[in-house]
Amino acid sequence: MEGRKGTAKLNELREIERQVQERWAREKVFEMDAPPIGSEEAKKDKFLACFPYPYMNGRLHLGHTFSLSKCEFAIGYQRLRGKRCLFPFGLHCTGMPIKACADKLKREMEEFGYPPRFPADTGEQPKDSDRDSEPIIKDKSKGKKSKLVAKTGTAKYQWQIMQSLGLSDAEIVPFADPHHWLTYFPQLCKKDLIDMGLKVDWRRTFITTDVNPYYDSFVRWQFLKLKERGKIQFGKRYTIYSPKDGQPCMDHDRSTGEGVGPQEYTLIKMKAVEPYPEKLRSLQGKPVYLVAATLRPETMYGQTNCWVRPDMRYIAMAVVTGEVFVCTRRAAKNMSYQGFTAENGKVEVLLELVGQDIIGMALSAPLTSYQVIYTLPMLNVKEEKGTGIVTSVPSDAPDDFAALRDLKKKQPFREKYGIKDEMVLPFDPVPIIEVPGFGNLSAVTVCDQLKIQSQNDKDKLQDAKERVYLKGFYEGVMLVGEEKGKKVQDVKKSVQKKMVDKKEAVIYMEPEKQVISRSADECVVALCDQWYLDYGEPLWKAHTKESLSRVNTFLDEVRKNFDATLDWLHEHACSRSFGLGTKIPWDPQYVIEALSDSTIYMAFYTVAHLLQGGVFDGSGKSPLNISPDQMTPDVWDYIFFSQAPLPNTDIPIDSLQYMKREFEYWYPVDLRVSGKDLVPNHLTYYLYNHCAIWPDDSSKWPKAIRANGHLLLNSEKMSKSTGNFLSLSQALETFSADGMRFSLADAGDSVEDANFVESMADAGILRLYTYLEWVKEMLSEKDAMRTGPVDSFNDQVFISEMNRGIVDSQQHYEKMMFKEALKSGFYEFQAVRDKYREMTMGDMHRDLVLRFIECQTLLLSPICPHICEHVWGLLGKSNTIVNATWPVAGAVDNLLLRSSQYLMDAAHEFRVRLKAIMQSGKGKKASPPQKPTHAVVWVAKTYPPWQTTVLTTLKELHEANNGIPDNKVIAVALKDKPELKKYMKKVMPFVQVLKENVEKHGLNALNLTMDFDEAAILEGSVKYLTSTLELDDLEVCYSSEGEEKIREECCPGKPYIVYTTQQSVNLTFINPQPCNGHFQLSVPVMEGDTCGSIAGRMIRMDRGIKDSKRVKLYYYKDPELGPRQIPVFNEPLAGKVEVLESDVFKVNTEERTVVIQNNGKPVDVGKQMVYIVN
């Protein structure tokens, strides 16, 4: 990190972490088993929490770490609450990514040699067009850049990606075998997480796929159950498909386009009218259609023309029906996988065309009121969306209206493309939809409103589309056809069906936006034979909704996201032709895809340690001597279903019961933590599958799901391509485990993006180190601290504030609001200690300091367990802190806390007033003001009469209106009060202050008196106030004894301070003690001073003097000659006389002299004296 002066503090923290982690491993503190039935341990609550197993195609990064930290902090807190906590951690290897990466490496070595020599990158980027075929509602939850791009950065080849992970060429070669990934990255993942201090029971860790025969058996059992219960179906379904891979391409198989699904279009068939243009003459006699993809079939009543781009390449393709479709090659490729062509995936190209070839072509279009329409040129038609053929509805589409108007106005434009007047001029917008606020020609209206001059006004046209498109769809009413009088949104499907039935249109699908597979193939939408999970089945969906209603989602937005997902989710393809994973038991030509084998694996955690014994792939010896082939479906039934009969197996019954007890004890999952991007897929499937496997046992359904936002790094998205990226191992090395964890907790709690700021992480390291050093200092000085009763005002406030901190932190931890828990349990807790230290002038009570250290360490331990474990040991605790218990909070005395806050607010106001006084002379010719030495604090028992009237009236208005009304009502109520006439200018400002106070403190702010004794609080804190204000004396008086101005300024809760300055004469005080760090001081001496008051003044000048009682003052026997004599080294007090406590200083400010009144005799002390600090 730039800017660091050294790493000593970091290194000390990391060494502490190493020692603590060694202890945890030695004592196996995180290994948890189900307790014996009826035992004391069995009476405790349990807590099973987990995190979606990360994919093993690389090392974990800070984004993973942020999400799993939520789970980790929750486990740490729940352990302190006395629960038996289990945090298992699996490792995901299923799916295409690993296989695709391995295949890429193999191809790169074949094509570019070893080590590969890649061609130079030209850096060219594909062009993007301006014009979309139709506006589409964007889903803001879907990111602009895929996770893979963010992780791999600018690396173009897989070999380069592997090099970016720090691997040498020789180390990369074995990764061409996909199974090497399954042994390499899981071990690194475990090491990084152990270094982080994760409270994981590693015996239960496993990898997925059929490489692990135990997990493979478990997934096969799950799918047999799903099929047996009718949850899995087979048939043709539209899905994102990779032609290169020859199979569906699910989210986990994509390098770009995660979350993208098939988009349904209505393909409008506009029939070419013979005679055909010259380029199409070879097709004479065949039915030729220009096909346009639209999302708004109900607007086809308003077609006036068809748009093509003059320079775009098109093809005429043969369709299986014997028809000919004209469209782009990209669209044709999509169609070829949807049953449009004779052979799946093969396009029969009859002609190659460009847009100019078909401009001016006569067409017969469905639904339009015009018998013939024509193809016209539009320059910004997109090739990447739709078919390249665009229907024109200028009544409701601003782009179409602007372009048609341009053609009508600009004859040279028409001539350029060979457009005759009769192809354009007779065609006017057709009213088809009545839109509130825009009439029956919404596009015409909005273009006039925005003063759009041409189709080149792109920004204005975008604004116009946003104004009319959604409003027209949701609020518009049809004016034509059979649908006349109906809402637009209600007729879309019926219009589509009518056209499809008449063979005027067909259903067409393509990806919502571009999807690139991990094998670098652009995906299409295909109709595939596949096994799919029927998530749309009504009873299953209803069960899942019931399950969701029982789940604690912590945040309303997360629940809304679940509800929205359940509304649209229907089917999910669960099979693919190849990749890593478990084969479908009844159809082994297919592999179960990655999102489908990861829905109930949390149940496998409960028995994994008994089957695998901590060996990730299950290749080791089973602790129960159970082989994978013994784990038959009947055995799994017995383990997971409470009413299942004893299976016919040679597994000993004790072993079966052992596994069943583990499952019954730990299930259900008490908490699952994940990023919010998994709500629409994994987390929803998680709920569905639990309902399917345990339909009659809701006690096994998930209890809580905590979804968080993504993690920004230094306020920017993490991405290797920009260099703004941190892996977990890098973060641990840079910030230490606790430093990183501290900053992760502080990064954010909501579903909005959180922010990990490196400079704040550095500050966190410093805070933790400072706390450790302070603890060491306190423990070394504890014998010198105050003991005895803890009944002083400051002691009692400190106790109450610690109790409040414990209560607040507990509430935040329970709600999994860890940023707030860090705020109340560390930042504010530390501030409470600092305040106590300040208020007591360092004279803290030993028992309270030790209580603070213990509580602070416990409150922080879920987030920063290593340093807390170390401090726990310094406190002499023999047990580990992860087995400690949450501190018990005593009573919180709110009245005491209010009185303490009153004191702090008063001190702040006093300091502000003092600063104003000291700055009053700046910038003027007058001499600067003298620093005040004394003050009187005036306290009011009651409000002045006029303020009392205002308070009483406001309280009455509050009762009458069930709240404080607006200022107009208040002003009317107060204007005729005779006692207010003299103070009218002050009334409304006072009202505003009272309203703000009511907002902060409630109705108590309108009380006429305080509920504590202000004078007593201030008098008891005179020592603190004189110190913080650097005064020599302070007096507390009631305002009723003061002048009228004081009575007016002062009111309950608002003391008023008046400063005065007492004249003084400066004396020089010399410290003759060798090697002690105390030096010469110039101290003002005032009339009536004593040794104690001067020593108190010295403390403010020299912070090295901790106690005024340790200061002794001396004067020279000869005030003239004494200061000039060379001091005797071993006799620093020779020739000097000690000032007694009873001695009083007398000053003559005119002559600038000081004498001491010693037993009634004046002693001249000259200009210089001596002080000694014992």
Side-chain angles (χ1 to χ4, degrees):
M1 284 292 294
E2 294 182 10
R4 277 188 179 168
K5 295 180 180 177
T7 59
K9 296 179 177 66
L10 174 67
N11 292 340
E12 184 172 340
L13 291 180
R14 292 184 66 189
E15 176 58 24
I16 288 171
E17 290 165 1
R18 185 190 64 77
Q19 294 173 7
V20 167
Q21 287 164 10
E22 285 180 357
R23 178 187 178 184
W24 288 343
R26 190 170 58 249
E27 297 179 10
K28 301 180 178 180
V29 292
F30 306 133
E31 292 183 7
M32 280 285 178
D33 294 303
I37 296 172
S39 65
E40 285 300 312
E41 284 293 300
K43 295 176 184 177
K44 295 180 179 179
D45 290 336
K46 64 88 184 176
F47 186 78
L48 169 60
C50 53
F51 165 80
Y53 42 27
Y55 201 73
M56 289 295 98
N57 62 341
R59 298 188 81 156
L60 300 184
H61 57 71
L62 205 59
H64 292 119
T65 313
F66 176 62
S67 290
L68 66 87
S69 73
K70 306 287 185 187
C71 199
E72 162 70 4
F73 300 156
I75 285 283
Y77 167 70
Q78 295 294 346
R79 287 185 72 115
L80 291 174
R81 299 296 295 161
K83 295 180 182 178
R84 304 185 80 254
C85 296
L86 178 63
F87 186 6
F89 204 98
L91 307 166
H92 203 195
C93 304
T94 303
M96 276 295 295
I98 288 175
K99 176 102 171 51
C101 291
D103 290 347
K104 281 183 190 176
L105 289 173
K106 196 179 297 180
R107 287 196 300 271
E108 287 168 10
M109 283 190 284
E110 290 170 357
E111 188 174 351
F112 303 110
Y114 171 76
R117 293 185 177 181
F118 300 114
D121 187 1
T122 62
E124 291 182 3
Q125 298 293 328
K127 292 181 180 179
D128 192 16
S129 302
D130 295 326
R131 170 70 157 87
D132 198 345
S133 55
E134 294 188 26
I136 296 176
I137 303 168
K138 293 182 179 178
D139 184 350
K140 293 182 181 179
S141 69
K142 294 175 181 175
K144 296 178 181 176
K145 186 186 288 186
S146 77
K147 290 181 185 175
L148 184 81
V149 173
K151 285 191 234 178
T152 59
T154 56
K156 181 177 179 180
Y157 296 98
Q158 185 63 40
W159 198 278
Q160 295 170 334
I161 294 170
M162 304 306 286
Q163 287 176 325
S164 74
L165 298 175
L167 297 168
S168 67
D169 287 337
E171 289 173 320
I172 294 172
V173 174
F175 285 94
D177 175 4
H179 291 97
H180 182 66
W181 298 68
L182 276 57
T183 59
Y184 184 83
F185 285 114
Q187 295 301 329
L188 290 177
C189 174
K190 178 181 177 181
K191 178 188 181 301
D192 289 346
L193 293 173
I194 288 175
D195 289 347
M196 177 185 168
L198 221 61
K199 300 176 181 67
V200 166
D201 183 348
W202 291 106
R203 300 171 304 156
R204 299 173 188 262
T205 298
F206 57 85
I207 60 170
T208 64
T209 77
D210 54 7
V211 167
N212 181 345
Y214 293 104
Y215 188 73
D216 186 61
S217 170
F218 167 77
V219 174
R220 287 166 62 85
W221 165 82
Q222 176 193 352
F223 268 68
L224 286 169
K225 284 294 161 197
L226 290 171
K227 187 167 189 297
E228 175 187 311
R229 293 171 180 177
K231 307 303 182 187
I232 297 179
Q233 305 294 334
F234 187 79
K236 288 190 180 293
R237 289 293 179 273
Y238 288 109
T239 188
I240 304 296
Y241 181 88
S242 167
K244 186 174 184 178
D245 296 335
Q247 66 172 7
C249 184
M250 300 294 106
D251 270 7
H252 286 52
D253 304 327
R254 304 174 187 177
S255 61
T256 63
E258 288 176 87
V260 173
Q263 175 72 62
E264 181 184 284
Y265 290 90
T266 305
L267 204 61
I268 307 299
K269 295 164 65 176
M270 294 177 284
K271 189 173 183 180
V273 177
E274 296 189 8
Y276 296 161
E278 182 65 31
K279 288 284 185 178
L280 272 67
R281 287 286 163 84
S282 62
L283 301 176
Q284 202 78 21
K286 294 183 180 180
V288 176
Y289 294 91
L290 271 62
V291 287
T294 180
L295 296 170
R296 298 285 302 274
E298 73 283 357
T299 64
M300 293 303 101
Y301 289 105
Q303 292 178 89
T304 59
N305 61 280
C306 163
W307 301 115
V308 296
R309 200 173 86 201
D311 62 342
M312 186 181 288
R313 293 187 178 278
Y314 296 88
I315 62 168
M317 63 176 285
V319 182
V320 71
T321 58
E323 299 164 323
V324 177
F325 283 3
V326 176
C327 61
T328 59
R329 189 177 289 273
R330 188 197 65 83
K333 183 179 179 182
N334 268 277
M335 293 181 204
S336 73
Y337 287 94
Q338 297 172 30
F340 285 80
T341 55
E343 186 178 349
N344 192 53
K346 301 291 184 183
V347 178
E348 184 183 348
V349 179
L350 302 177
L351 288 175
E352 298 271 1
L353 303 164
V354 292
Q356 182 65 58
D357 297 335
I358 52 177
I359 287 177
M361 187 173 173
L363 302 171
S364 172
L367 299 185
T368 180
S369 58
Y370 293 104
Q371 188 173 355
V372 175
I373 62 173
Y374 295 90
T375 55
L376 301 176
M378 179 180 269
L379 305 182
N380 59 349
V381 173
K382 262 192 174 183
E383 190 170 355
E384 297 81 16
K385 203 79 171 172
T387 61
I389 309 292
V390 182
T391 60
S392 174
V393 185
S395 59
D396 291 82
D399 277 317
D400 295 340
F401 174 70
L404 182 62
R405 187 173 59 181
D406 283 355
L407 275 170
K408 285 189 173 191
K409 287 181 176 179
K410 301 174 182 177
Q411 185 176 348
F413 189 28
R414 297 198 298 272
E415 291 174 352
K416 178 180 178 180
Y417 291 103
I419 303 297
K420 298 177 182 178
D421 288 355
E422 59 265 29
M423 297 177 182
V424 179
L425 299 182
F427 295 90
D428 292 319
V430 180
I432 58 171
I433 298 172
E434 182 73 30
V435 182
F438 293 99
N440 59 16
L441 293 172
S442 60
V444 179
T445 302
V446 77
C447 285
D448 289 344
Q449 288 176 349
L450 297 177
K451 296 182 172 54
I452 292 171
Q453 301 301 313
S454 78
Q455 60 187 307
N456 295 321
D457 291 341
K458 294 178 183 177
D459 292 339
K460 287 185 177 181
L461 281 169
Q462 184 61 36
D463 184 13
K465 281 191 286 186
E466 290 172 0
R467 291 191 187 193
V468 300
Y469 184 76
L470 293 180
K471 193 173 184 68
F473 183 73
Y474 290 112
E475 299 180 34
V477 176
M478 296 297 296
L479 299 175
V480 294
E482 298 172 11
E483 295 77 23
K484 184 176 180 179
K486 295 180 180 178
K487 281 280 192 79
V488 171
Q489 62 179 323
D490 297 333
V491 304
K492 175 177 177 177
K493 280 295 179 184
S494 63
V495 173
Q496 181 192 64
K497 184 178 185 302
K498 180 169 69 174
M499 284 196 289
V500 170
D501 290 345
K502 290 183 177 180
K503 302 190 185 309
E504 296 172 337
V506 289
I507 303 300
Y508 165 69
M509 297 275 190
E510 64 179 46
E512 293 167 314
K513 56 184 178 180
Q514 189 182 61
V515 177
I516 303 295
S517 73
R518 301 266 184 172
S519 52
D521 179 36
E522 182 173 359
C523 294
V524 297
V525 171
L527 263 177
C528 295
D529 282 328
Q530 58 187 308
W531 293 101
Y532 63 91
L533 288 153
D534 190 9
Y535 288 138
E537 194 268 308
L539 185 59
W540 196 7
K541 190 180 284 275
H543 251 114
T544 306
K545 286 185 175 181
E546 182 190 348
S547 169
L548 176 61
S549 70
R550 302 172 181 219
V551 171
N552 178 8
T553 60
F554 296 94
L555 300 164
D556 287 340
E557 189 172 344
V558 174
R559 185 172 298 281
K560 289 175 183 174
N561 288 345
F562 271 116
D563 287 334
T565 301
L566 287 172
D567 285 341
W568 64 255
L569 184 61
H570 292 289
E571 295 128 6
H572 175 73
C574 59
S575 63
R576 61 164 42 82
S577 300
F578 67 97
L580 303 181
T582 294
K583 292 180 172 59
I584 290 183
W586 60 89
D587 196 355
Q589 65 175 312
Y590 293 109
V591 176
I592 297 167
E593 62 89 31
L595 280 170
S596 300
D597 80 339
S598 55
T599 53
I600 64 161
Y601 68 87
M602 313 86 207
F604 186 72
Y605 281 138
T606 64
V607 296
H609 62 307
L610 303 177
L611 299 174
Q612 299 183 196
V615 180
F616 290 180
D617 63 1
S619 61
K621 182 176 173 57
S622 164
L624 296 183
N625 290 316
I626 297 174
S627 63
D629 59 291
Q630 288 178 290
M631 297 303 295
T632 62
D634 287 346
V635 171
W636 290 114
D637 282 354
Y638 179 76
I639 295 169
F640 295 134
F641 301 146
S642 59
Q643 302 302 317
L646 198 65
N648 182 15
T649 178
D650 53 0
I651 299 175
I653 189 169
D654 287 349
S655 298
L656 290 170
Q657 290 175 343
Y658 192 174
M659 291 189 287
K660 189 178 186 74
R661 187 168 74 249
E662 280 282 328
F663 173 73
E664 288 292 341
Y665 178 76
W666 288 114
Y667 236 64
V669 178
D670 296 285
L671 173 68
R672 188 152 183 80
V673 175
S674 168
K676 64 181 179 183
D677 53 316
L678 295 192
V679 170
N681 42 68
H682 164 72
L683 290 173
T684 301
Y685 304 162
Y686 164 65
L687 294 177
Y688 262 102
N689 280 266
H690 274 81
C691 292
I693 299 299
W694 291 279
D696 303 318
D697 187 1
S698 59
S699 70
K700 300 298 185 289
W701 294 355
K703 294 179 72 174
I705 296 174
R706 175 67 160 85
N708 55 263
H710 298 130
L711 184 71
L712 303 176
L713 179 59
N714 299 319
S715 304
E716 295 179 6
K717 184 173 181 178
M718 275 209 300
S719 172
K720 278 190 175 177
S721 62
T722 61
N724 193 49
F725 187 86
L726 263 185
S727 68
L728 171 55
S729 59
Q730 289 169 332
L732 291 170
E733 184 177 346
T734 308
F735 303 111
S736 78
D738 280 349
M740 178 195 72
R741 292 167 65 118
F742 186 96
S743 295
L744 288 172
D746 207 20
D749 286 324
S750 72
V751 291
E752 299 303 317
D753 289 347
N755 191 18
F756 184 101
V757 181
E758 290 182 310
S759 60
M760 295 299 291
D762 273 341
I765 294 171
L766 185 59
R767 285 189 178 95
L768 294 175
Y769 184 83
T770 302
Y771 173 59
L772 176 60
E773 290 299 298
W774 178 80
V775 169
K776 291 177 182 176
E777 181 186 350
M778 292 300 100
L779 294 178
S780 68
E781 296 178 359
K782 66 179 182 179
D783 292 339
M785 290 183 187
R786 174 166 59 92
T787 57
V790 287
D791 52 4
S792 74
F793 173 76
N794 291 323
D795 289 345
Q796 289 300 306
V797 168
F798 187 40
I799 291 169
S800 221
E801 287 184 325
M802 282 195 288
N803 290 337
R804 182 176 62 182
I806 294 167
V807 171
D808 289 349
S809 299
Q810 181 175 329
Q811 291 172 351
H812 296 318
Y813 273 119
E814 289 287 349
K815 294 176 182 176
M816 294 191 69
M817 304 298 283
F818 300 116
K819 182 181 177 74
E820 293 301 313
L822 191 65
K823 179 184 173 186
S824 62
F826 183 75
Y827 289 114
E828 291 176 356
F829 216 67
Q830 293 277 303
V832 163
R833 175 208 61 188
D834 295 343
K835 174 185 164 186
Y836 177 58
R837 182 169 52 190
E838 180 186 356
M839 298 295 292
T840 59
M841 317 281 288
D843 187 23
M844 299 183 288
H845 196 287
R846 180 177 66 191
D847 295 347
L848 296 187
V849 170
L850 294 176
R851 162 78 172 162
F852 171 84
I853 294 172
E854 184 170 321
C855 291
Q856 173 65 99
T857 305
L858 287 168
L859 297 185
L860 186 61
S861 66
I863 295 170
C864 301
H866 303 91
I867 192 169
C868 292
E869 185 74 81
H870 183 67
V871 171
W872 200 244
L874 295 178
L875 289 173
K877 311 285 187 180
S878 57
N879 64 318
T880 172
I881 196 168
V882 295
N883 289 334
T885 55
W886 184 258
V888 177
V892 177
D893 188 334
N894 289 312
L895 180 61
L896 189 67
L897 294 183
R898 284 201 300 275
S899 61
S900 174
Q901 188 59 48
Y902 160 82
L903 176 61
M904 300 310 291
D905 291 344
H908 173 72
E909 288 297 323
F910 298 163
R911 283 191 289 270
V912 168
R913 183 163 173 75
L914 178 60
K915 184 178 179 181
I917 290 171
M918 295 309 296
Q919 290 180 339
S920 61
K922 287 189 176 179
K924 299 177 181 178
K925 293 182 179 180
S927 58
Q930 288 186 309
K931 195 172 185 305
T933 59
H934 292 68
V936 176
V937 175
W938 300 94
V939 177
K941 292 181 179 179
T942 59
Y943 283 92
W946 73 270
Q947 291 183 347
T948 301
T949 300
V950 173
L951 284 160
T952 305
T953 305
L954 276 184
K955 192 172 278 192
E956 290 169 354
L957 288 171
H958 185 280
E959 291 173 4
N961 294 275
N962 200 22
I964 293 182
D966 60 36
N967 284 352
K968 286 184 180 179
V969 176
I970 297 171
V972 169
L974 294 174
K975 68 174 183 175
D976 295 327
K977 303 276 185 184
E979 57 267 52
L980 299 181
K981 285 185 178 179
K982 184 179 175 183
Y983 305 98
M984 269 304 172
K985 289 184 179 179
K986 296 182 178 181
V987 167
M988 291 315 292
F990 181 58
V991 166
Q992 195 57 39
V993 170
L994 291 175
K995 287 174 74 174
E996 290 171 6
N997 288 343
V998 169
E999 264 188 49
K1000 291 180 188 175
H1001 310 296
L1003 204 55
N1004 286 341
L1006 300 181
N1007 289 345
L1008 297 178
T1009 58
M1010 302 297 289
D1011 49 7
F1012 53 82
D1013 188 337
E1014 290 184 63
I1017 298 297
L1018 293 168
E1019 285 170 351
S1021 304
V1022 164
K1023 184 178 178 183
Y1024 162 70
L1025 291 172
T1026 53
S1027 173
T1028 191
L1029 299 172
E1030 298 184 356
L1031 299 173
D1032 287 285
D1033 192 25
L1034 181 143
E1035 186 181 359
V1036 179
C1037 299
Y1038 286 110
S1039 60
S1040 56
E1041 303 167 8
E1043 301 171 355
E1044 183 179 355
K1045 175 178 171 54
I1046 289 169
R1047 292 197 299 273
E1048 286 298 325
E1049 293 288 343
C1050 199
C1051 64
K1054 294 289 182 182
Y1056 183 74
I1057 192 167
V1058 176
Y1059 291 102
T1060 56
T1061 302
Q1062 186 172 329
Q1063 295 298 311
S1064 63
V1065 174
N1066 277 20
L1067 285 186
T1068 299
F1069 285 81
I1070 302 292
N1071 183 273
Q1073 294 169 281
C1075 309
N1076 70 347
H1078 299 294
F1079 301 100
Q1080 176 176 311
L1081 297 174
S1082 178
V1083 183
V1085 179
M1086 302 174 197
E1087 182 72 18
D1089 268 343
T1090 62
C1091 182
S1093 60
I1094 292 176
R1097 226 165 277 143
M1098 286 179 165
I1099 287 180
R1100 296 200 295 269
M1101 297 178 176
D1102 182 354
R1103 293 300 179 183
I1105 304 172
K1106 302 296 183 184
D1107 187 353
S1108 62
K1109 294 177 183 176
R1110 298 184 179 182
V1111 178
K1112 300 292 184 184
L1113 304 184
Y1114 296 84
Y1115 58 85
Y1116 293 97
K1117 290 180 181 178
D1118 186 338
E1120 292 292 332
L1121 184 60
R1124 301 178 188 174
Q1125 292 178 332
I1126 298 174
V1128 180
F1129 182 76
N1130 292 326
E1131 297 180 24
L1133 298 179
K1136 302 170 184 70
V1137 179
E1138 182 179 352
V1139 179
L1140 304 178
E1141 289 185 14
S1142 57
D1143 291 349
V1144 178
F1145 286 78
K1146 299 288 184 179
V1147 300
N1148 186 323
T1149 55
E1150 291 181 3
E1151 297 180 5
R1152 314 303 294 169
T1153 58
V1154 178
V1155 297
I1156 293 176
Q1157 201 72 23
N1158 187 299
N1159 292 324
K1161 296 179 181 178
V1163 177
D1164 184 10
V1165 298
K1167 302 294 184 186
Q1168 182 172 303
M1169 293 180 66
V1170 171
Y1171 74 102
I1172 299 289
V1173 181
N1174 294 321

